[in-house]
Amino acid sequence: MPPGNGSASMAIPVVDFSSWKNTQDEASRLRTAHELVKACQTVGFVYIINHSLPKSVLDEAFDWVKRLFNLPEEEKMRAPHPEGWAVHRGYSWPGLEKVSQTMSTGNDEEAKRKLREVPDVKVCCGLPTIIYDIGSDENTEQPNQWIPDEALPGFRTFMIKFYWECWAVGEELLRALAIGLNLEDDSYLVDKHSGHGNQLRLLHYLPVPAEDLEKERTTRCPAHTDWSSLTMLFQDDCGGLEVEDVSRPGTFVPATPLKNAIVVNVGDLLQMWSNGKCIIQLGKMRRCMV
């Protein structure tokens, strides 16, 4: 049974990308592309296994993330998130970014007011969460805010390399989607991205007492869709990610961590670009660990 099967009506599909690497076997590549599109159309989320990112690279990435967030607060604050909403780079301390203030409320000002009274616990999205955002060093509109090399030697070098390795996988996913959607040009979706507008987001969800969540003294990131074309998520063993069952709105199933797999979800832009053909209904996700 596929991981994440928490509901009789929905399981998160698993797509094996090993055959995609064999450029001589067009039939296998086409089958993989169709499997990917079907997953996007029916669930909106999919596990990608046997992709091109080695286990050693992912292990090293998680090790750097732990080392980063284990730094003293004064060291992390040497690369602070810039003021305002326009630039998303550097270190976001707990409570800085409050997703729950803007999600799921529409124009309901009273609902927004109540959400603002509840502290988020995500070091990145205003919830008990810590975030560190990275982009292309060539993106002058979103300049990186780097931890000084003397504070964490090697971090910047690795993360720049990892950023582009992730984008290489993203390109392959976009090409597979184009083929699975029967587009004449397999680079159609890739060409909508420069590679310099992507965002590499490192997240650490701080522990929160269950009672604080139950009594709404704090909150995790609420159910939401991503605004981007695709999101690639790498999970550790902690879990906590949940995905809405599109056939039963309001019902969520766990996206159980699958070692070395990438959890990919469709974003608002891809739905728009594909005229709604990339997914029947945008799936929502939320974080529910304590």
Side-chain angles (χ1 to χ4, degrees):
M1 185 173 291
N5 188 68
S7 163
S9 59
M10 189 187 86
I12 300 173
V14 178
V15 173
D16 188 339
F17 242 59
S18 56
S19 61
W20 181 260
K21 303 172 189 175
N22 184 359
T23 58
Q24 305 304 314
D25 189 348
E26 290 297 329
S28 294
R29 285 168 62 85
L30 183 60
R31 184 167 56 252
T32 300
H34 285 157
E35 289 176 0
L36 178 60
V37 168
K38 181 179 179 181
C40 291
Q41 290 176 332
T42 55
V43 178
F45 288 76
V46 57
Y47 292 97
I48 303 296
I49 62 173
N50 295 321
H51 47 80
S52 59
L53 275 173
K55 175 182 182 299
S56 59
V57 171
L58 295 180
D59 288 344
E60 186 175 0
F62 276 108
D63 181 64
W64 279 113
V65 172
K66 290 178 182 178
R67 292 166 64 183
L68 168 68
F69 291 130
N70 282 335
L71 287 174
E73 188 69 10
E74 61 268 22
E75 291 292 343
K76 294 194 288 283
M77 287 301 295
R78 295 175 71 182
H81 186 291
E83 291 186 8
W85 57 268
V87 177
H88 293 285
R89 294 291 184 266
Y91 172 64
S92 298
W93 50 96
L96 178 65
E97 182 180 323
K98 289 189 66 66
V99 168
S100 63
Q101 291 182 357
T102 58
M103 299 303 302
S104 307
T105 57
N107 295 319
D108 190 336
E109 294 301 323
E110 178 62 18
K112 290 179 181 179
R113 184 190 65 78
K114 290 182 178 179
L115 279 174
R116 291 190 187 101
E117 295 174 356
V118 181
D120 262 347
V121 179
K122 168 181 147 197
V123 176
C124 153
C125 293
L127 320 153
T129 307
I130 301 169
I131 300 169
Y132 189 90
D133 289 316
I134 299 167
S136 167
D137 258 357
E138 299 177 43
N139 186 339
T140 57
E141 294 182 355
Q142 295 275 324
N144 280 318
Q145 308 292 313
W146 289 110
I147 295 288
D149 287 341
E150 65 268 21
L152 197 57
F155 173 76
R156 177 175 182 171
T157 299
F158 175 84
M159 286 300 165
I160 290 175
K161 182 172 180 287
F162 185 58
Y163 174 94
W164 290 109
E165 289 174 328
C166 289
W167 169 230
V169 176
E171 282 189 298
E172 292 304 304
L173 290 168
L174 291 169
R175 290 186 188 279
L177 282 171
I179 291 174
L181 288 167
N182 300 315
L183 300 181
E184 293 183 4
D185 182 1
D186 69 356
S187 66
Y188 177 81
L189 294 174
V190 174
D191 290 345
K192 290 186 176 293
H193 304 73
S194 68
H196 298 295
N198 302 321
Q199 188 171 358
L200 176 60
R201 172 161 276 197
L202 312 180
L203 296 169
H204 172 44
Y205 291 85
L206 301 175
V208 179
E211 183 181 6
D212 285 355
L213 293 172
E214 293 165 356
K215 294 187 177 181
E216 298 184 347
R217 290 196 290 261
T218 190
T219 179
R220 287 293 186 188
C221 190
H224 65 281
T225 62
D226 284 340
W227 59 265
S228 57
S229 52
L230 287 178
T231 295
M232 296 165 47
L233 175 67
F234 304 95
Q235 299 189 91
D236 60 13
D237 295 332
C238 293
L241 178 67
E242 294 188 342
V243 174
E244 187 177 41
D245 184 339
V246 294
S247 68
R248 298 190 298 170
T251 300
F252 288 80
V253 300
T256 306
L258 181 59
K259 191 65 176 177
N260 300 322
I262 305 174
V263 179
V264 175
N265 66 272
V266 173
D268 302 334
L269 283 177
L270 186 56
Q271 185 193 36
M272 179 183 68
W273 289 339
S274 66
N275 197 26
K277 291 183 178 179
C278 244
I279 184 162
I280 296 172
Q281 176 182 341
L282 271 174
K284 294 181 181 178
M285 73 199 88
R286 67 182 184 185
R287 286 282 180 177
C288 292
M289 77 280 284
V290 296

